[in-house]
Amino acid sequence: MDKTDLRYTVITGASSGIGYATAIAFAKRNKPLIVIARRQEQLTLLKQKIADINSELDVIIKKCDLSVSSNVHSLFTDLEPYFIETWINNAGFGHYGSVGEQDLNKIESMLHLNIEALTILSTLYVRKYHNQSDTQLINISSRGGYTIVPNAVTYCATKFYVNAFTEGLAQELIQANAQLRAKVLAPAATQTEFGKKANDIDEYDYDKRFAKYHSADDMAQFLLALYDSDKIIGEINTKDFSFSLKDSILPYSGNPSQNQKS
């Protein structure tokens, strides 16, 4: 089969953590993959790992720093020849620190990646695939996007945006009778490189910092459950760390039933 006849799953931020585990999970379902991240070496190792699972599966590596605005449009243009069945915006990072003392260079990069790149890639994908059957856009957000975590105000704000944008887009697509579905996954504490990068430290002990947390493999399985469902949101309950699927959390004024309640 020619590669242009395949239906690919795109995963950004695939070099580690939830993105890496998700790539493995989709590979086990025999889904051809396009994996994207800044670190070429880790992507190569991921491709080798997938080859051990399925040597026939097509895996395309794209090295790209999506925090650089000019790279975002060029990435989507580069992927024009491929049919993308599922687009997963996983790339992102966090920051711990008070607003008054936060590193503005790091904050700018976080805003570019968590908000700007995700919005542009989502928009480009919707424009091209909104009437293609069995297509999905899944944005990885955070439970911190439905609350405010002390000392992580700016990060939570970026994830509030992701949740609001994706929930709103999902409703918009449904009301337009589009074939494409938009969904959002909202993890809580997950053992990845997130803690180290958010705190700018070399070691981060999840056992010492959290009574409960999930592994990246856990989150990949939750993502698959969301992918298989007709729900919009996959959310972690921060009290007992249970996973649930929901139609919506944020109010949407375009929903007639919600208008009647207000």
Side-chain angles (χ1 to χ4, degrees), residues 22-42:
T22 298
I24 298 297
F26 273 82
K28 289 179 178 178
R29 291 194 173 193
N30 300 316
K31 297 289 187 180
L33 293 165
I34 301 173
V35 291
I36 301 159
R38 294 177 298 110
R39 297 177 292 183
Q40 176 79 33
E41 183 177 353
Q42 275 83 350

Side-chain angles (χ1 to χ4, degrees), residues 19-64:
Y20 183 99
T22 298
I24 298 297
F26 273 82
K28 289 179 178 178
R29 291 194 173 193
N30 300 316
K31 297 289 187 180
L33 293 165
I34 301 173
V35 291
I36 301 159
R38 294 177 298 110
R39 297 177 292 183
Q40 176 79 33
E41 183 177 353
Q42 275 83 350
L43 289 176
T44 301
L45 292 172
L46 171 59
K47 185 171 182 175
Q48 292 170 354
K49 175 71 173 178
I50 292 172
D52 293 337
I53 298 168
N54 183 350
S55 60
E56 301 298 318
L57 192 68
D58 191 43
V59 179
I60 297 169
I61 288 175
K62 292 285 184 180
K63 179 184 176 182
C64 185

Side-chain angles (χ1 to χ4, degrees), residues 178-231:
Q179 295 290 312
L180 172 66
R181 288 292 174 263
K183 302 177 180 181
V184 61
L185 180 70
T190 306
Q191 189 176 28
T192 65
E193 294 179 352
F194 179 92
K196 292 193 293 185
K197 187 161 186 179
N199 290 280
D200 292 317
I201 56 179
D202 294 329
E203 297 296 332
Y204 189 85
D205 191 330
Y206 277 81
D207 290 321
K208 290 182 179 178
R209 299 193 181 242
F210 300 99
K212 293 183 179 180
Y213 59 86
H214 287 115
S215 69
D217 289 336
D218 291 333
M219 291 313 306
Q221 293 306 308
F222 296 148
L223 191 152
L224 283 178
L226 176 63
Y227 171 84
D228 289 334
S229 78
D230 60 359
K231 301 298 185 180

